[in-house]
Amino acid sequence: MQISSCSLSPAVKSRLTAAGFHFLSELRGLSPSHICAETGVSQQEALQVLQAVRGGASGGGASVGGASGGGGASVGPPPSLTALQLLQEEQSQRSIFSFCSQLDATLGGGLPVGKTTEICGAPGTGKTQLCLQLVVDVQVPVCFGGLGGQVVVVDTEGSFLLQRVQDIAGAVVKHCSLLVEDDEQRVAMTTFSVETILSNIFLVRCHDYVELLAELHLLPDFLSEHPRVRLLVIDSVAFPFRLHFDELSQRTRLLNGLAQQLIAMATSHNVAVVITNQMTTRLRGGQSQLVPALGESWGHAPTIRLLLQWAGTQRLATIFKSPGHPGATVQYQITSDGFRDADQSEQPPSKRPRTHTVQSATGQRDSNQSSAGQRDSNQSAAGQRDSNQSAAGQRDSNQSAAGQRDSNQSAAGQRDSNQSAAGQRECS
Amino acid sequence: MDWDQLELHPRIISAVRRCALSVRAVLCVSAPDLQRLSGLSRSDTQQLLTAAATACRRHAPLPALLSRGFQSSLRLSVGCPILDELLRGGLPAEGVTELSGESGAGKTQLALQVCLSVQYPTQYGGLDAGAVFISTEDSFPVRRLQQLIRGQSCLRSDVPPSLISSLNFSDRVYIEHAADLASLQECVSRRVPLLLARGLVRLVVVDSVAALFRSDFLASDWLERNRQLLTFSAALHHLSREYSTPVLCINQVTDVFSSSDSLVPSSSTGTPTVAPALGLAWANQVMVRLMMWRLQGTVSRGDQSSAPRRLQVVFAPHLARGGRGAGVWREGVRGLTETA
C-alpha cells in the first residue's frame, strides 16, 4: 500500500515521502525511534505510522473500509475468490421472493441476498408495502422455498404499522398452510404463525440522521449476534437526510459513508439490504423531472434500483439499475393481502415508460432489451393465466407459486450447465 | 448529553474534549478524521465511536412483538362508525394525517368534529384530552363549534348522555391564530409543546398548511419555501412522536394540468382532477393522505338535507385505497351507508 493513500496526517506523509519511503511495507520492522531519526516525526506520530503499517499488512481492504466510517473495519479482509467460486456462492444463495411473480421473474427469483436494493417512488406508490411484504416473506420456512430468516427494520418515518404487518403475515401464513404437502412442511407450519413472524422482526425507530448513523455503526455487532438475520430494511433513508442540512457537501459525505457501511454489512453478514428513497423534482432546462432524492452520487450506492410509479390507474415497477438484469417494467397491485401480481386481464404496456432517469448512453439498448424481456414475461404470464383458468379460487395462487418454484429450479439447472461448461473449459 | 456520562477511558475523553466535539457531532466525522483531530489511536477511536453511538440510540433493535409499536395501534375515532371503519379505527395516534379537498368539501367540519371526539375517554375512541386548533386561514368558526357541541348527544349515540353532559367541550379546544409563517413556526415550536407537555391536549389540527406557504412566497422562491416547509413538518413530526399525538393537517388542492402525472392515480370517477397543494416536498412528509370531495345532488336525513361528500383514502401504510360517502349535518359529519 502506498503511503500517500493511507490514513495519516498530511504532515507525516510528506515527511515520510521526503525521507524516501513510498510504501508502507518499507517501514515494516523499523523501531519507532528509528523512524523518528530517519524522518524527523515525533515519537507519537511514529507510533501512528507503525500502527498504519500493521493495519495495512493485515489487509488493505480493511483500512479502506475504515475510511468510510468503520462499518467493515472490524471484519477481516475477505479472501480473494475466483469468479467461479463467486458464481457458486451466489447460486447457493436463495433470493427473497416478493409474491409478485412478474417482479420476481425479472429479478431472477427475487431480491438477492448480499446486495443492496433501493426502492424509489413518490408517496403512495407502495414502497412501504413492498418492504412490509419482504419483511414477512424472508421468514417463510426453508421447506417452502423461503429463507426462514429474521429481519431488522430501521424505521425513520414512523410508517411501520404493525396492523399492516399482521394483515400481510396472516395472508402469507394462510398461503403456506394451503401449500403443505409433506411432513416437513407440516412440522414447519406448526411454528410459522403471525406471532413468530412478529417476534422475528427487530424494530428500531430512528428520529434523525445522527440516530440513524449511530444505529448503523452498531448494527454489525447486532448482526453478528443474530446470524439468522437475512434482511435489513431502512424505510426511508431520505426522510432524515432531507432535513437540517444547510451544507450539501456534508450530507453527501455522510451518505457515501452510509452507503459503504450498508454494502459492507450486506456482504460480510450476508443480508439483503433494502432501502427506500423518496422522489424529488429537478428542474432542468425549464422542464421539471421526477428523480430519486439524495442527489446524483447516492445513485451509485445501491446495486439494484427499483422505481415504483403510477401510470394512469396501473401501478408499475421499473428496474432501472441492475448489473444482472435487463431493465424491465412490470405491473403490480397492492391488495389487502399485500404486494401481488396485477390482475391478468390488464396487459402491461408494450413500451417502457419514461423513467426520467439519466441513462443517456445505455438508454436505447436497455429499452430494446427490456421489450424483449417483457415479451418473455408476457408469455409466461399468459401460461400462468391458462393454468389459472383451469383451476379456481385459492388454488390458483398455489399453482402459480409452485410454477414459480419450478421455473426457479429450471433457471438453476441452466446455470448448472453453464457451470459445467466453465468447468470443462478449465480442465482443457 | 455529556462526555462524562459515557463509559470511556479518561484519556479518550480528554482527547475528544480538546477538539471540542459533541457526542452527536463525533458520529458525523469519519473515523480517520477523528483519529487525526483527536490524536487517538485507531482502536481508541473505534471505542469512542461505539460509545457515542450507544449513547445516541434509544434502544437496541427490539422484536416487534415487544416494541412500542403495539401501542401505536391506538386510534383516535373521528366520531362516526362508518368513517372509522374506512380508517380502520380512526387517525393513527402517531403520525401526520393530511386531509385535503376543495373549499366547501367539509374538511374543517371533520376537523372540528375530531377536536370534540378526542375529548372522550379511550373506550369511546377518544384520547381523554383536549385539542389545539391552529387556524391560519379564516377566523375560527366558533359558532359552528357550539352547534356541534350541542349536537354531540345526537351524533354519539354510543356514549351515555350523562358522560356527554359532564364533558366541558369548549373549554378544552385551544385556538391559536397564525397570520404569517413566523408566528406559525413560533406556535408549533413554543406554545403547542407547552400545552402538550402539560397533558392538556392530545391532538394538533392545522387549518390549513397551504394558506401561508402558498401566499408568502413568490414562485421563484420555491427553494426557500421548501426549506421552511420541511422545518415546519419536522416540528410537527417531533410533536407527534414526542407526545404521541395525532396531527391533522388540512390542505387545499390545486388543479392538475398534465394528464400523464405519475404522482397520483388519475381518478376514474370523472371528478375533476385536483391534487393536494404544496407538491411533492410536502407529500413526502405525510403518512396518511385523505381527500374530501363535494359531489352533485342532495342526500337527506330526517328533516335535513346535505350535499353528498366523499372521503377518500389516497395513501396510508395501513389502509386500503377506498372511499365512503358522507354528509354534513347539523350535528356533524356522518358517513352514508353504502346502499344509498
Side-chain angles (χ1 to χ4, degrees):
Chain A
M1 188 177 174
Q2 279 198 319
I3 282 176
S4 54
S5 63
C6 66
S7 59
L8 290 167
S9 76
V12 176
K13 278 189 209 170
S14 68
R15 290 240 169 127
L16 287 172
T17 32
F21 295 104
H22 291 287
F23 293 94
L24 276 182
S25 52
E26 294 168 347
L27 293 159
R28 196 169 301 152
L30 297 181
S31 70
S33 55
H34 195 153
I35 294 178
C36 291
E38 285 270 345
T39 63
V41 296
S42 75
Q43 188 86 19
Q44 202 199 358
E45 283 167 334
L47 282 170
Q48 272 180 19
V49 171
L50 285 174
Q51 207 175 14
V53 172
R54 275 200 300 278
S58 76
S63 55
V64 172
S68 64
S74 53
V75 188
S80 24
L81 295 170
T82 63
L84 182 65
Q85 282 170 313
L86 260 179
L87 183 70
Q88 284 166 343
E89 214 168 86
E90 265 195 38
Q91 279 165 1
S92 66
Q93 204 60 255
R94 291 194 196 210
S95 309
I96 308 170
F97 46 80
S98 67
F99 269 65
C100 170
S101 60
Q102 287 194 29
L103 184 64
D104 290 343
T106 34
L107 285 172
L111 233 58
V113 172
K115 301 224 159 61
T116 51
T117 306
E118 182 188 63
I119 305 167
C120 324
T125 48
K127 304 184 293 289
T128 302
Q129 299 300 318
L130 179 53
C131 285
L132 296 179
Q133 183 72 54
L134 292 169
V135 158
V136 174
D137 291 349
V138 73
Q139 304 190 32
V140 170
V142 178
C143 53
F144 287 102
L147 286 129
Q150 294 177 319
V151 200
V152 177
V153 177
V154 180
D155 179 22
T156 63
E157 295 190 359
S159 57
F160 190 85
L161 291 179
L162 286 173
Q163 196 178 21
R164 187 67 186 137
V165 182
Q166 280 169 310
D167 291 351
I168 295 174
V172 169
V173 169
K174 193 173 163 212
H175 179 86
C176 286
S177 66
L178 289 167
L179 278 177
V180 169
E181 278 167 359
D182 54 21
D183 284 339
E184 193 191 358
Q185 292 180 335
R186 210 159 289 131
V187 171
M189 278 315 290
T190 57
T191 53
F192 188 58
S193 65
V194 176
E195 277 75 43
T196 42
I197 289 176
L198 288 181
S199 62
N200 281 328
I201 301 173
F202 297 101
L203 197 58
V204 201
R205 180 91 165 80
C206 289
H207 298 138
D208 57 26
Y209 72 93
V210 177
E211 283 181 29
L212 179 62
L213 291 174
E215 196 55 55
L216 288 180
H217 186 84
L218 299 171
L219 261 181
D221 293 337
F222 184 85
L223 293 179
S224 307
E225 288 163 27
H226 296 81
R228 279 182 57 213
V229 172
R230 281 291 152 275
L231 175 65
L232 166 65
V233 175
I234 304 179
D235 184 20
S236 71
V237 173
F239 193 76
F241 275 100
R242 297 190 73 184
L243 287 173
H244 311 304
F245 276 99
D246 291 330
E247 212 185 323
L248 281 181
S249 62
Q250 159 88 343
R251 188 181 86 167
T252 310
R253 199 176 58 68
L254 289 177
L255 280 172
N256 282 338
L258 188 135
Q260 292 297 328
Q261 278 175 306
L262 291 179
I263 293 167
M265 264 188 267
T267 45
S268 62
H269 294 279
N270 200 17
V271 294
V273 176
V274 174
I275 47 192
T276 64
N277 193 358
Q278 301 173 345
M279 300 297 276
T280 185
T281 321
R282 185 168 58 189
L283 295 171
R284 177 174 281 182
Q287 270 195 321
S288 67
Q289 291 186 324
L290 212 55
V291 294
L294 298 182
E296 199 64 32
S297 69
W298 172 257
H300 301 288
T303 318
I304 298 172
R305 290 188 111 179
L306 271 180
L307 178 74
L308 306 184
Q309 62 189 341
W310 284 101
T313 52
Q314 300 179 338
R315 291 172 186 267
L316 296 180
T318 307
I319 303 175
F320 69 89
K321 178 193 171 187
S322 169
H325 318 97
T329 300
V330 297
Q331 226 184 310
Y332 66 96
Q333 64 171 343
I334 291 167
T335 67
S336 58
D337 289 344
F339 199 88
R340 293 291 186 277
D341 274 318
D343 290 332
Q344 303 288 338
S345 55
E346 287 173 274
Q347 284 293 320
S350 55
K351 218 175 67 192
R352 174 174 159 161
R354 275 183 304 146
T355 55
H356 303 304
T357 42
V358 193
Q359 286 189 330
S360 51
T362 54
Q364 195 61 44
R365 215 174 349 125
D366 269 2
S367 67
N368 289 350
Q369 276 182 358
S370 79
S371 63
Q374 216 167 30
R375 227 178 301 138
D376 288 352
S377 73
N378 283 359
Q379 277 172 6
S380 72
Q384 218 174 35
R385 220 182 314 145
D386 286 350
S387 71
N388 282 358
Q389 276 169 1
S390 65
Q394 192 63 42
R395 246 186 309 145
D396 283 1
S397 54
N398 296 357
Q399 278 194 353
S400 69
Q404 209 185 326
R405 230 188 302 152
D406 283 352
S407 72
N408 283 357
Q409 277 173 3
S410 71
Q414 217 169 27
R415 259 185 263 144
D416 281 353
S417 67
N418 285 354
Q419 224 177 72
S420 65
Q424 263 176 0
R425 228 174 300 147
E426 229 180 25
C427 292
S428 64
Chain B
M1 206 181 316
D2 198 53
W3 285 112
D4 291 327
Q5 292 166 15
L6 304 190
E7 276 181 44
L8 281 171
H9 196 280
R11 174 174 50 86
I12 302 179
I13 291 182
S14 67
V16 73
R17 278 253 166 77
R18 243 178 287 130
C19 39
L21 283 169
S22 74
V23 176
R24 284 166 63 92
V26 158
L27 288 168
C28 301
V29 182
S30 72
D33 273 347
L34 191 60
Q35 211 174 326
R36 208 186 51 218
L37 282 172
S38 62
L40 289 167
S41 73
R42 192 205 204 86
S43 61
D44 283 349
T45 328
Q46 280 304 322
Q47 264 186 43
L48 175 65
L49 279 172
T50 308
T54 318
C56 278
R57 83 161 164 194
R58 299 178 187 219
H59 58 80
L62 269 179
L65 210 52
L66 308 172
S67 73
R68 234 163 66 86
F70 258 175
Q71 289 172 26
S72 78
S73 58
L74 192 63
R75 298 282 186 272
L76 165 60
S77 158
V78 296
C80 161
I82 295 173
L83 298 182
D84 279 345
E85 192 197 329
L86 172 71
L87 302 174
R88 295 183 84 175
L91 310 181
E94 223 174 277
V96 176
T97 303
E98 181 204 60
L99 175 63
S100 58
E102 293 158 307
S103 64
K107 309 178 295 280
T108 306
Q109 300 295 324
L110 192 60
L112 290 175
Q113 185 165 320
V114 181
C115 285
L116 301 181
S117 71
V118 70
Q119 303 185 24
Y120 290 98
T122 38
Q123 76 255 36
Y124 298 111
L127 297 172
D128 208 2
V132 55
F133 194 102
I134 305 171
S135 169
T136 65
E137 269 185 342
D138 221 342
S139 56
F140 180 78
V142 71
R143 277 163 180 259
R144 177 63 180 147
L145 185 73
Q146 290 301 332
Q147 194 183 20
L148 286 176
I149 290 171
R150 284 196 299 276
Q152 280 296 301
S153 53
C154 170
L155 183 75
R156 300 297 298 260
S157 48
D158 56 322
V159 185
S162 58
L163 178 70
I164 294 182
S165 54
S166 73
L167 286 171
N168 205 347
F169 286 106
S170 54
D171 274 4
R172 290 164 84 189
V173 179
Y174 297 81
I175 298 149
E176 293 277 349
H177 273 284
D180 54 59
L181 268 184
S183 55
L184 180 64
Q185 304 280 22
E186 152 93 20
C187 183
V188 291
S189 58
R190 297 251 177 90
R191 293 214 287 278
V192 174
L194 218 63
L195 288 171
L196 287 166
R198 287 205 215 140
L200 292 173
V201 300
R202 216 173 149 198
L203 169 70
V204 180
V205 178
V206 186
D207 183 12
S208 70
V209 278
L212 294 180
F213 287 101
R214 289 179 101 179
S215 64
D216 278 19
F217 293 99
L218 296 170
S220 54
D221 283 344
W222 63 276
L223 209 64
E224 173 63 16
R225 188 190 87 162
N226 274 4
R227 214 178 57 79
Q228 294 267 4
L229 193 57
L230 288 183
T231 317
F232 174 65
S233 100
L236 290 184
H237 276 277
H238 176 78
L239 293 178
S240 174
R241 186 174 74 214
E242 209 64 17
Y243 303 101
S244 134
T245 295
V247 174
L248 178 65
C249 292
I250 292 179
N251 195 358
Q252 303 169 345
V253 289
T254 122
D255 284 307
V256 179
F257 294 111
S258 66
S259 55
S260 64
D261 199 322
S262 60
L263 282 183
V264 280
S266 50
S267 58
S268 48
T269 50
T271 45
T273 43
V274 288
L278 299 179
L280 199 51
W282 169 254
N284 278 325
Q285 304 292 320
V286 175
M287 183 165 89
V288 179
R289 168 166 274 182
L290 309 173
M291 280 184 93
M292 247 179 142
W293 277 285
R294 187 191 187 115
L295 307 177
Q296 298 295 322
T298 48
V299 284
S300 54
R301 179 190 169 84
D303 59 336
Q304 305 179 52
S305 65
S306 151
R309 328 279 166 125
R310 190 166 176 81
L311 182 68
Q312 188 90 27
V313 178
V314 181
F315 62 75
H318 62 301
L319 301 178
R321 291 168 49 78
R324 279 295 146 78
V328 180
W329 316 102
R330 204 180 299 131
E331 69 271 16
V333 182
R334 275 183 202 261
L336 302 172
T337 40
E338 286 292 270
T339 50

